[in-house]
Amino acid sequence: MSDPSKGPAAPEARMRVGLQAIHAADRSVVAHELLFRAPGRHDASLTGRSEHDHATAQVITATFGEFGAAELGDGKPLFLNTTRSFFTGELPLPFSPDGVVLELLETVDVDHVVMQGIRRLRARGFAIAVDDFDGELHRVPALRFADYVKLDLEASGDRLPGLVDLVRRANPRARLVVERIETVEQFERCVALGVEMFQGYLLHRPDIVQRQTLDASHLTCVQLIAALHDLRTSTEDVLRLLTHDPGLSLRILKTVGSAAHAPRQGITSLHQAVVLLGRRELASWVTLVLVGGTSTAAARPDTLGWIFTRAEACRALAPEDPDAGFTVGLLSAAAAVLGATPADLTRGCSLSEEVQEALVHGRGRLGAAVEAVVAQEGTATGEPVAAPGVDLSAEVYLHATLAARSRVKSLSAVPA
């Protein structure tokens, strides 16, 4: 018989990003570039966005909503390929600029609108890299605002010294990064030219980092974006929509830490995360999740029903702070479904000590609530479960089950 604490089988959803190290002249790692690795689930017709926009959005949501920027980059800068839509403000960049370098792709036409975007993003604190610069005249104005300029060794060939000289004259403070270094001779040639940073197979082949995840629902994202742009929608209505989607809820909890909004003592609930982010920033994150690719349903109904039942039951057992009870129950169930430890799942969520202790060690009133619900789940499946310190009546558990079924059913309903 299966362990009731593990819940139903996890949905088939994985988040992937590629990561390639960038080195200094002494071959020490000084930064990383984030690379898109598609799980093959995007339909551009759903969002009207290009595959390049989709790739950037998915890397952003994976980095800040799943893995954590500090964890991926090991505290070093992360270079992010960035399309025109993000430079012009058509798509949002709702995360802290600390440790992030926005790469202006070679496919972006550098006109006055893009230049305004570069100035705006630099004013926010973002570092800018001009990617694959090959001497194009329309890109020269962007060099003045660049912190880094990347040159493609394969494409530039014998023109490399001239390109290095052009960049030095346009912006002496910009650091040069040469890509596609595959031999020792190429590396030494670049060092002799005074290049500061190096990237290529000689030094490091990209790593693929992946994690099983709860997918976010396309329908929930669309409903939330509409609700967040309607000033008549209350915070409670926004929270009601968000809590219908565990995958999206988990991403939002993690983005609070990425956006540097979390209070020093940590957050206790999804409700608090929504309030801290605010409507505009929450809408920005949901937009990125939608553009990055979603499924038509976040997970199978039985999986969602089980997650919501645990969350609702924990809410009932925490009358002093029902929002915290629901959040602890939801995170506990999500970890079980994904086969992850609560500590791994919630890394980067900036949770309060009380919530962390409940999830990781089963301590405190919230930990006792989760233990009582797991015990009730064991009773339902015939599993032997130790007697908890909190009583959960069959009636309360039944009410939680009915509330969970109502949540799952409403996922397909169109909001008024």
Side-chain angles (χ1 to χ4, degrees):
M1 222 171 260
S2 62
D3 183 344
S5 67
K6 293 183 179 178
E12 291 298 322
R14 285 188 176 274
M15 190 69 77
R16 298 181 179 91
V17 292
L19 203 65
Q20 186 173 31
I22 300 174
H23 296 74
D26 62 2
R27 298 204 179 194
S28 62
V29 176
V30 293
H32 297 87
E33 180 179 353
L34 292 162
L35 307 170
F36 174 62
R37 289 296 180 266
R41 201 176 59 249
H42 176 63
D43 179 358
S45 65
L46 291 176
T47 62
R49 292 290 176 181
S50 72
E51 285 296 318
H52 296 296
D53 287 344
H54 159 61
T56 300
Q58 190 166 79
V59 168
I60 289 171
T61 56
T63 299
F64 296 96
E66 289 291 338
F67 301 103
E71 182 179 349
L72 273 181
D74 193 27
K76 298 178 176 63
L78 291 172
F79 282 64
L80 172 67
N81 292 331
T82 311
T83 62
R84 179 185 179 89
S85 297
F86 291 91
F87 276 100
T88 61
E90 293 177 66
L91 288 174
L93 293 168
F95 48 83
S96 169
D98 296 340
V100 179
V101 181
L102 304 179
E103 292 195 31
L104 180 69
L105 294 176
E106 68 276 12
T107 56
V108 176
D109 184 20
V110 182
D111 54 20
H112 73 282
V113 179
V114 170
M115 288 301 299
Q116 288 176 346
I118 291 173
R119 295 186 185 95
R120 174 176 51 82
L121 291 169
R122 279 188 58 83
R124 284 181 56 188
F126 283 104
I128 304 295
V130 174
D131 188 32
D132 289 347
F133 179 67
D134 199 32
E136 305 94 333
L137 290 178
H138 76 94
R139 305 182 77 200
V140 170
L143 297 181
R144 293 192 298 114
F145 298 93
D147 300 276
Y148 304 88
V149 178
K150 301 185 80 173
L151 307 176
D152 186 320
L153 182 61
E154 184 178 295
S156 60
D158 293 337
R159 295 182 295 111
L160 182 64
L163 289 174
V164 169
D165 183 60
L166 174 58
V167 173
R168 294 293 189 212
R169 285 187 283 110
N171 183 355
R173 68 174 182 79
R175 303 186 71 185
L176 283 165
V177 186
V178 174
E179 303 174 292
R180 298 182 186 269
I181 293 177
E182 298 184 359
T183 68
V184 173
E185 291 76 17
Q186 290 173 335
F187 178 77
E188 291 176 346
R189 176 190 174 203
C190 292
V191 171
L193 287 172
V195 172
E196 295 95 343
M197 298 166 70
F198 311 84
Q199 188 175 355
Y201 284 177
L202 172 69
L203 303 166
H204 180 244
R205 291 180 177 270
D207 297 318
I208 305 301
V209 185
Q210 62 180 352
R211 178 173 295 172
Q212 194 166 24
T213 182
L214 286 169
D215 207 354
S217 163
H218 171 80
L219 177 60
T220 304
C221 289
V222 171
Q223 291 175 340
L224 260 174
I225 291 170
L228 287 164
H229 285 90
D230 184 349
L231 296 180
R232 297 169 298 177
T233 307
S234 67
T235 300
E236 289 69 26
D237 289 334
V238 169
L239 190 66
R240 176 181 56 79
L241 283 170
L242 184 58
T243 55
H244 276 58
D245 193 323
L248 187 57
S249 295
L250 182 57
R251 285 170 174 80
I252 295 305
L253 282 168
K254 290 196 174 184
T255 59
V256 173
S258 299
H261 282 293
R264 185 170 299 176
Q265 66 272 25
I267 61 175
T268 60
S269 67
L270 188 61
H271 182 279
Q272 188 181 10
V274 169
V275 172
L276 287 167
L277 280 173
R279 298 171 77 97
R280 180 180 297 178
E281 194 148 340
L282 178 57
S284 296
W285 278 111
V286 177
T287 299
L288 285 180
V289 172
L290 182 63
V291 174
T294 59
S295 69
T296 54
R300 295 196 326 243
D302 60 335
T303 300
L304 286 175
W306 184 82
I307 291 174
F308 288 139
T309 296
R310 182 178 286 193
E312 291 288 356
C314 287
R315 182 206 297 274
L317 292 178
E320 303 90 347
D321 193 345
D323 288 334
F326 181 92
T327 302
V328 167
L330 184 140
L331 292 174
S332 168
V337 166
L338 294 173
T341 66
D344 286 340
L345 182 78
T346 59
R347 186 174 292 115
C349 283
S350 300
L351 299 174
S352 69
E353 183 178 358
E354 180 187 21
V355 172
Q356 283 281 17
E357 286 291 298
L359 284 168
V360 178
H361 303 295
R363 295 173 182 159
R365 58 189 180 88
L366 296 175
V370 174
E371 187 180 48
V373 177
V374 171
Q376 181 63 41
E377 293 165 352
T379 300
T381 60
E383 292 286 344
V385 181
V390 173
D391 291 327
L392 174 61
S393 70
E395 181 181 4
V396 170
Y397 190 75
L398 175 61
H399 281 303
T401 303
L402 294 175
R405 289 178 182 173
S406 176
R407 282 181 178 274
V408 174
K409 185 178 180 180
S410 67
L411 278 174
S412 59
V414 178

